[in-house]
Amino acid sequence: MTEAVFGIKGKDFVIVAADRTTVFSVIKMKDDYDKIWEVEGKLFAALGQTADAANFVEFVEKNIRLHTLRAGMPLSTKAAANFTRNELAQALRKGPYQTDMLIAGVDADGPQLYMMDYLASMEKVNKAAHGYGAMFTFGLMDRYYKNDLNLEEAKDIIRKCIKELEVRFLIDLGKYTVKVVDKDGIRTIDLDA
């Protein structure tokens, strides 16, 4: 997976960044693909084979929306992450999805970030990365992360992670999509601004 996605939980927000490139074998297919879905006020970043990632997130999105319509209230971030993990685990025995995910949201329990791999193991974390980008950036996130990060500090860590990949990674991943979720909702931000 020549991809990269990063997530950092701050004091009252979660920021998620993902590269925009889709590939097939050694061919770059697209360089403007958004790998971060907005699902009922939460961010779902999915990496892996594009078809698997898109199909699985769309399946989860529709089922979470159905739950909201039936119950009259949205799932918490924890409940949405657990539902997603359960569906991924069930798919392992039928037709597995080759997708790694980050799930982020802010609700009554505050900001939350979950990291999930294609084998359906899930962990609640403060910082996360998937893809080849994780190999180069976990050290940076460990070094600069603190529990009460503000948005500017988190954006700076994301910038450092992207810069590290530009310098050290063999493949140019191009531009990144960066989204923030907080109590006011979801927004796309520009790291250069």
Side-chain angles (χ1 to χ4, degrees):
M1 287 191 295
T2 56
E3 300 173 291
V5 64
F6 322 108
I8 300 173
K9 182 181 89 166
K11 184 167 47 174
D12 56 359
F13 66 91
V14 181
I15 185 169
V16 178
D19 74 284
R20 297 181 191 170
T21 305
T22 59
V23 299
F24 177 74
S25 183
V26 295
I27 301 167
K28 182 187 286 190
M29 302 298 285
K30 210 172 171 190
D31 63 1
D32 62 350
Y33 184 69
D34 189 356
K35 298 177 183 178
I36 307 172
W37 282 263
E38 299 175 17
V39 178
E40 294 286 309
K42 296 156 194 57
L43 295 175
F44 281 64
L47 297 184
Q49 300 200 14
T50 307
D52 278 359
N55 285 337
F56 183 68
V57 174
E58 287 174 8
F59 168 76
V60 168
E61 177 183 25
K62 301 307 180 208
N63 278 282
I64 288 175
R65 179 71 183 136
L66 178 62
H67 176 274
T68 300
L69 291 171
R70 284 182 174 166
M73 61 187 310
L75 288 175
S76 68
T77 306
K78 181 179 180 180
N82 279 297
F83 170 78
T84 304
R85 193 212 70 77
N86 188 46
E87 292 300 321
L88 198 55
Q90 287 181 0
L92 277 174
R93 287 142 188 89
K94 299 174 187 167
Y97 294 98
Q98 295 292 315
T99 184
D100 296 323
M101 301 180 72
L102 298 182
I103 300 171
V106 176
D107 51 32
D109 297 325
Q112 297 176 59
L113 176 63
Y114 291 88
M115 181 175 178
M116 188 178 315
D117 71 6
Y118 71 100
L119 294 173
S121 64
M122 182 181 76
E123 188 67 35
K124 184 177 179 183
V125 294
N126 293 325
K127 54 199 177 303
H130 271 305
Y132 279 128
M135 296 178 194
F136 298 97
T137 58
F138 268 126
L140 281 171
M141 288 191 281
D142 285 341
R143 181 176 187 181
Y144 294 108
Y145 180 81
K146 58 184 182 180
N147 286 328
D148 60 344
L149 279 177
N150 64 40
L151 183 57
E152 287 307 312
E153 292 169 324
K155 285 166 58 174
D156 189 50
I157 295 171
I158 296 291
R159 279 188 206 100
K160 287 177 179 171
C161 290
I162 292 170
K163 182 67 175 167
E164 188 73 9
L165 285 174
E166 288 172 350
V167 170
R168 297 186 62 208
F169 192 37
L170 179 67
I171 299 168
D172 178 18
L173 295 176
K175 299 200 179 278
Y176 288 75
T177 301
V178 183
K179 295 185 181 181
V180 173
V181 59
D182 58 20
K183 62 180 175 40
D184 299 322
I186 296 171
R187 64 189 182 280
T188 302
I189 61 171
D190 183 4
L191 287 178
D192 299 326

